Amino acid sequence: MYATYTKGPDAQGDIAVEIGGSFGSIVDPAAFIEEASDKLTSSGNVTRQSRPTPFDARDAKDPSARLECGLTTQGEPDLPVCIWADHSTGAVVSFVNASAPGSPTRIALAQAADLSRTIRDATVVAQ
């Protein structure tokens, strides 16, 4: 699954959200996050600014769920990327600057984590 969301062509100061994920059986959510993070930066197009920060996944269905967010450089500096994983779903959520050149919009990692949890809760269905 891959999707991109932006508010619209007239919006200013927006963040476009890109989501890529999969579902199935994930034995180790922490290992999934590590592997996804490594794949994200292995292409050479994305540079990790620092080690991702763990956040509370707040997943009532799976207490082993994990969520990490970190800053990356992907043509724009310091853009957050979050990765979540539980035992059945994993996804990478990128927050890409969609504002006009010269007026960058940035969100804090905690806000990115909150938005990622909201996206997860809206997209994951019970198995």
Side-chain angles (χ1 to χ4, degrees), residues 31-53:
F32 178 94
I33 288 176
E34 185 68 32
E35 184 177 332
S37 181
D38 289 345
K39 283 183 181 179
L40 183 69
T41 57
S42 69
S43 69
N45 296 332
V46 177
T47 304
R48 189 176 11 208
Q49 295 300 315
S50 62
R51 183 79 190 122
T53 302

Side-chain angles (χ1 to χ4, degrees), residues 11-12 14 24 27 30 35 44 49 56 64 70 76 80 82 87-88 91 95 99 103 108-110 113 118:
Q12 294 184 5
D14 281 335
V27 175
E35 184 177 332
Q49 295 300 315
D56 184 354
S64 297
E76 298 282 340
C82 294
H87 283 99
S88 64
F95 299 90
S99 59
S103 59
L109 287 183
T118 300

Side-chain angles (χ1 to χ4, degrees), residues 58-65 86-87 120-122 124-127:
R58 297 184 196 154
D59 189 340
K61 297 174 196 145
D62 188 344
S64 297
D86 57 32
H87 283 99
R120 178 203 62 208
D121 292 347
V124 173
V125 296
Q127 291 191 10

